[in-house]
Amino acid sequence: MQYEEGSSVTIPSGIVVDEVNVEENDCVSQGDVLAVVNQVSVRRVMEDIQEEQDELDEEIEDSKDDADSQSVTSKTEGNVKKIYVQQGQEIADCMAEHGALLLLSIDGSDDEEGTGDELAVTATVGTVEEICVSEGDDVYEGTVLFKITNDGQSVEYQELLAKRQELVQSLQRLTVLSKSGVITAEADG
Protein backbone atom coordinates (compact mmCIF):
# COMPACT_ATOMS: atom_id res chain seq x y z
CA MET A 1 0.00 0.00 0.00
CA GLN A 2 1.29 3.41 -0.91
CA TYR A 3 0.91 6.41 1.40
CA GLU A 4 -1.21 9.18 -0.08
CA GLU A 5 -1.80 12.70 1.14
CA GLY A 6 -4.61 12.71 3.70
CA SER A 7 -7.69 14.85 3.53
CA SER A 8 -9.48 16.72 6.26
CA VAL A 9 -13.03 16.14 7.36
CA THR A 10 -15.16 19.22 7.92
CA ILE A 11 -17.95 18.99 10.46
CA PRO A 12 -20.59 21.73 10.38
CA SER A 13 -20.51 24.21 13.23
CA GLY A 14 -22.79 23.16 16.08
CA ILE A 15 -22.47 19.39 15.52
CA VAL A 16 -21.24 17.58 18.63
CA VAL A 17 -18.97 14.59 18.07
CA ASP A 18 -19.66 11.89 20.68
CA GLU A 19 -16.95 9.46 19.62
CA VAL A 20 -13.88 9.59 17.38
CA ASN A 21 -12.92 6.21 15.91
CA VAL A 22 -9.61 7.12 14.24
CA GLU A 23 -6.39 8.81 15.18
CA GLU A 24 -4.04 11.02 13.22
CA ASN A 25 -2.12 9.10 10.53
CA ASP A 26 -4.50 6.09 10.61
CA CYS A 27 -5.17 4.47 7.25
CA VAL A 28 -8.86 4.22 6.41
CA SER A 29 -10.92 2.73 3.62
CA GLN A 30 -13.86 4.37 1.91
CA GLY A 31 -16.93 3.92 4.12
CA ASP A 32 -15.01 3.39 7.40
CA VAL A 33 -16.68 5.09 10.37
CA LEU A 34 -14.53 8.02 11.45
CA ALA A 35 -16.79 9.47 14.15
CA VAL A 36 -20.17 9.19 15.81
CA VAL A 37 -22.18 12.40 16.11
CA ASN A 38 -24.72 13.54 18.64
CA GLN A 39 -28.13 13.23 16.96
CA VAL A 40 -29.71 16.06 18.96
CA SER A 41 -27.00 18.48 17.81
CA VAL A 42 -27.51 17.43 14.18
CA ARG A 43 -31.26 18.06 14.39
CA ARG A 44 -30.66 21.43 16.08
CA VAL A 45 -28.34 22.51 13.24
CA MET A 46 -30.89 21.26 10.69
CA GLU A 47 -33.61 23.35 12.35
CA ASP A 48 -31.32 26.41 12.32
CA ILE A 49 -30.61 25.94 8.61
CA GLN A 50 -34.31 25.47 7.85
CA GLU A 51 -35.09 28.68 9.73
CA GLU A 52 -32.36 30.53 7.81
CA GLN A 53 -33.75 29.12 4.56
CA ASP A 54 -37.26 30.33 5.44
CA GLU A 55 -35.94 33.85 6.11
CA LEU A 56 -34.00 33.74 2.86
CA ASP A 57 -37.15 32.72 0.98
CA GLU A 58 -38.81 35.94 2.17
CA GLU A 59 -35.82 38.00 0.97
CA ILE A 60 -35.90 36.19 -2.38
CA GLU A 61 -39.59 36.93 -2.78
CA ASP A 62 -39.00 40.62 -1.96
CA SER A 63 -36.14 40.99 -4.46
CA LYS A 64 -37.29 38.81 -7.36
CA ASP A 65 -38.88 41.67 -9.32
CA ASP A 66 -36.09 44.19 -8.66
CA ALA A 67 -34.26 45.43 -11.70
CA ASP A 68 -30.61 45.98 -11.02
CA SER A 69 -29.60 49.51 -11.96
CA GLN A 70 -26.11 50.87 -11.61
CA SER A 71 -23.88 53.70 -12.69
CA VAL A 72 -20.57 53.28 -14.45
CA THR A 73 -18.18 55.95 -13.21
CA SER A 74 -14.78 57.15 -14.31
CA LYS A 75 -11.93 55.78 -12.21
CA THR A 76 -9.57 58.56 -13.27
CA GLU A 77 -9.61 61.97 -14.88
CA GLY A 78 -9.37 62.28 -18.61
CA ASN A 79 -11.13 63.32 -21.79
CA VAL A 80 -13.89 61.32 -23.48
CA LYS A 81 -12.24 60.31 -26.75
CA LYS A 82 -14.78 57.89 -28.23
CA ILE A 83 -18.20 56.60 -27.17
CA TYR A 84 -19.02 53.26 -28.76
CA VAL A 85 -22.17 52.37 -26.89
CA GLN A 86 -25.59 53.81 -27.65
CA GLN A 87 -28.55 54.38 -25.39
CA GLY A 88 -30.71 51.25 -25.30
CA GLN A 89 -27.87 48.99 -26.49
CA GLU A 90 -26.96 45.74 -24.76
CA ILE A 91 -23.56 45.94 -23.05
CA ALA A 92 -22.53 42.52 -24.38
CA ASP A 93 -23.17 43.56 -27.99
CA CYS A 94 -21.00 46.66 -27.71
CA MET A 95 -18.23 44.82 -25.83
CA ALA A 96 -18.17 42.07 -28.46
CA GLU A 97 -17.94 44.57 -31.32
CA HIS A 98 -15.58 47.19 -29.86
CA GLY A 99 -13.99 45.67 -26.74
CA ALA A 100 -15.05 48.72 -24.74
CA LEU A 101 -18.01 51.01 -24.14
CA LEU A 102 -15.99 54.19 -24.20
CA LEU A 103 -12.38 55.35 -24.57
CA LEU A 104 -10.85 57.95 -22.28
CA SER A 105 -7.71 59.83 -23.19
CA ILE A 106 -5.82 59.92 -19.91
CA ASP A 107 -2.63 61.74 -20.93
CA GLY A 108 -4.30 65.09 -21.38
CA SER A 109 -4.45 64.88 -25.18
CA ASP A 110 -7.65 64.63 -27.13
CA ASP A 111 -6.02 64.20 -30.53
CA GLU A 112 -7.85 62.41 -33.32
CA GLU A 113 -4.91 60.24 -34.34
CA GLY A 114 -5.07 57.99 -31.27
CA THR A 115 -1.46 58.47 -30.18
CA GLY A 116 -2.19 59.32 -26.53
CA ASP A 117 -2.67 57.00 -23.55
CA GLU A 118 -6.16 55.55 -23.58
CA LEU A 119 -8.26 53.80 -21.00
CA ALA A 120 -11.02 51.45 -22.18
CA VAL A 121 -14.15 51.69 -20.05
CA THR A 122 -15.96 48.35 -19.80
CA ALA A 123 -18.93 46.69 -18.10
CA THR A 124 -20.34 43.18 -18.10
CA VAL A 125 -24.11 42.93 -18.46
CA GLY A 126 -27.21 45.01 -18.90
CA THR A 127 -28.62 47.68 -21.16
CA VAL A 128 -27.41 51.27 -21.36
CA GLU A 129 -30.23 53.34 -19.92
CA GLU A 130 -28.53 56.74 -20.22
CA ILE A 131 -25.23 58.12 -21.53
CA CYS A 132 -24.18 60.94 -19.22
CA VAL A 133 -21.18 62.34 -21.16
CA SER A 134 -20.33 63.38 -24.71
CA GLU A 135 -17.21 62.97 -26.81
CA GLY A 136 -14.73 65.71 -25.93
CA ASP A 137 -16.00 66.10 -22.34
CA ASP A 138 -13.48 66.29 -19.52
CA VAL A 139 -14.25 63.79 -16.76
CA TYR A 140 -12.90 63.35 -13.27
CA GLU A 141 -12.68 60.43 -10.90
CA GLY A 142 -16.25 59.56 -9.92
CA THR A 143 -17.93 61.21 -12.93
CA VAL A 144 -20.97 59.15 -13.98
CA LEU A 145 -20.42 57.98 -17.56
CA PHE A 146 -23.47 55.72 -18.07
CA LYS A 147 -26.44 54.36 -16.24
CA ILE A 148 -27.06 50.66 -16.86
CA THR A 149 -30.15 48.57 -16.17
CA ASN A 150 -30.07 44.80 -15.90
CA ASP A 151 -33.51 43.72 -17.11
CA GLY A 152 -32.97 40.20 -15.84
CA GLN A 153 -32.59 39.23 -12.25
CA SER A 154 -30.71 41.58 -9.97
CA VAL A 155 -27.32 40.63 -8.60
CA GLU A 156 -28.85 40.57 -5.11
CA TYR A 157 -31.53 38.12 -6.26
CA GLN A 158 -28.94 35.84 -7.88
CA GLU A 159 -26.78 35.94 -4.74
CA LEU A 160 -29.78 35.06 -2.57
CA LEU A 161 -30.63 32.11 -4.82
CA ALA A 162 -27.02 30.86 -4.65
CA LYS A 163 -27.04 31.17 -0.85
CA ARG A 164 -30.32 29.25 -0.71
CA GLN A 165 -28.86 26.49 -2.88
CA GLU A 166 -25.92 26.20 -0.47
CA LEU A 167 -28.37 25.86 2.42
CA VAL A 168 -30.33 23.18 0.56
CA GLN A 169 -27.13 21.21 -0.05
CA SER A 170 -26.12 21.55 3.62
CA LEU A 171 -29.56 20.37 4.70
CA GLN A 172 -29.30 17.37 2.37
CA ARG A 173 -25.90 16.38 3.83
CA LEU A 174 -27.20 16.83 7.37
CA THR A 175 -30.25 14.69 6.62
CA VAL A 176 -27.94 11.83 5.61
CA LEU A 177 -25.84 12.45 8.73
CA SER A 178 -28.96 12.48 10.88
CA LYS A 179 -30.10 9.13 9.51
CA SER A 180 -26.73 7.41 9.87
CA GLY A 181 -25.38 9.15 12.96
CA VAL A 182 -21.82 8.65 11.72
CA ILE A 183 -19.20 10.38 9.63
CA THR A 184 -17.55 8.02 7.18
CA ALA A 185 -14.43 8.18 5.03
CA GLU A 186 -15.30 9.40 1.54
CA ALA A 187 -12.23 7.73 0.03
CA ASP A 188 -9.34 5.42 0.90
CA GLY A 189 -6.48 7.18 2.60
Side-chain angles (χ1 to χ4, degrees):
M1 186 183 292
Q2 188 176 16
Y3 173 76
E4 292 184 26
E5 183 81 22
S7 61
S8 59
V9 175
T10 304
I11 300 171
S13 178
I15 303 287
V16 175
V17 175
D18 285 339
E19 182 182 325
V20 177
N21 296 347
V22 293
E23 295 180 18
E24 188 174 353
N25 295 324
D26 280 356
C27 289
V28 296
S29 298
Q30 183 177 0
D32 284 354
V33 174
L34 305 176
V36 177
V37 296
N38 180 285
Q39 294 289 356
V40 173
S41 69
V42 174
R43 284 191 287 278
R44 188 175 307 120
V45 171
M46 289 174 68
E47 288 172 0
D48 291 346
I49 289 175
Q50 184 62 55
E51 189 174 300
E52 187 178 351
Q53 187 176 322
D54 292 344
E55 291 170 8
L56 203 55
D57 286 344
E58 290 177 21
E59 289 181 57
I60 289 169
E61 182 62 31
D62 290 343
S63 70
K64 77 177 182 181
D65 294 327
D66 292 349
D68 195 21
S69 184
Q70 64 185 33
S71 295
V72 175
T73 60
S74 178
K75 305 301 181 222
T76 187
E77 69 178 58
N79 182 277
V80 179
K81 185 169 184 173
K82 181 72 176 164
I83 299 174
Y84 295 115
V85 72
Q86 298 175 13
Q87 186 171 335
Q89 185 177 16
E90 290 289 323
I91 297 292
D93 293 340
C94 184
M95 291 294 297
E97 184 176 344
H98 300 285
L101 304 176
L102 173 145
L103 288 180
L104 286 180
S105 173
I106 58 173
D107 66 353
S109 86
D110 56 0
D111 61 40
E112 296 295 320
E113 298 175 18
T115 58
D117 292 333
E118 297 176 346
L119 179 72
V121 176
T122 62
T124 54
V125 295
T127 304
V128 175
E129 178 181 313
E130 179 182 355
I131 300 171
C132 302
V133 294
S134 299
E135 289 182 9
D137 284 357
D138 290 327
V139 297
Y140 304 93
E141 183 177 342
T143 300
V144 176
L145 304 172
F146 316 106
K147 292 185 180 174
I148 297 174
T149 301
N150 184 355
D151 297 330
Q153 301 164 335
S154 70
V155 172
E156 178 188 9
Y157 180 76
Q158 293 171 358
E159 288 172 349
L160 291 171
L161 285 179
K163 173 76 173 160
R164 188 182 191 287
Q165 185 59 34
E166 289 173 16
L167 292 175
V168 167
Q169 291 171 351
S170 293
L171 201 51
Q172 289 169 340
R173 287 190 298 271
L174 287 169
T175 300
V176 171
L177 183 59
S178 174
K179 287 183 74 147
S180 70
V182 296
I183 297 171
T184 59
E186 294 179 4
D188 295 346

CSV table of all heavy atoms in Angstrom, one decimal, residues 23 65 88 183:
chain,number,residue,atom,x,y,z
A,23,GLU,N,-7.4,7.9,14.7
A,23,GLU,CA,-6.4,8.8,15.2
A,23,GLU,C,-5.6,9.4,14.0
A,23,GLU,O,-5.6,8.8,12.9
A,23,GLU,CB,-5.5,8.1,16.1
A,23,GLU,CG,-6.2,7.6,17.4
A,23,GLU,CD,-5.2,6.9,18.4
A,23,GLU,OE1,-4.0,7.1,18.2
A,23,GLU,OE2,-5.7,6.2,19.2
A,65,ASP,N,-38.4,40.8,-8.2
A,65,ASP,CA,-38.9,41.7,-9.3
A,65,ASP,C,-38.0,42.9,-9.4
A,65,ASP,O,-38.3,43.8,-10.3
A,65,ASP,CB,-40.3,42.1,-9.1
A,65,ASP,CG,-41.3,40.9,-9.2
A,65,ASP,OD1,-41.0,40.0,-10.0
A,65,ASP,OD2,-42.3,40.9,-8.5
A,88,GLY,N,-29.8,52.4,-25.0
A,88,GLY,CA,-30.7,51.2,-25.3
A,88,GLY,C,-30.0,50.0,-25.8
A,88,GLY,O,-30.6,49.0,-26.0
A,183,ILE,N,-20.0,9.8,10.7
A,183,ILE,CA,-19.2,10.4,9.6
A,183,ILE,C,-18.3,9.3,9.1
A,183,ILE,O,-17.6,8.6,9.9
A,183,ILE,CB,-18.4,11.6,10.1
A,183,ILE,CG1,-19.3,12.7,10.6
A,183,ILE,CG2,-17.5,12.1,9.0
A,183,ILE,CD1,-18.6,13.8,11.4
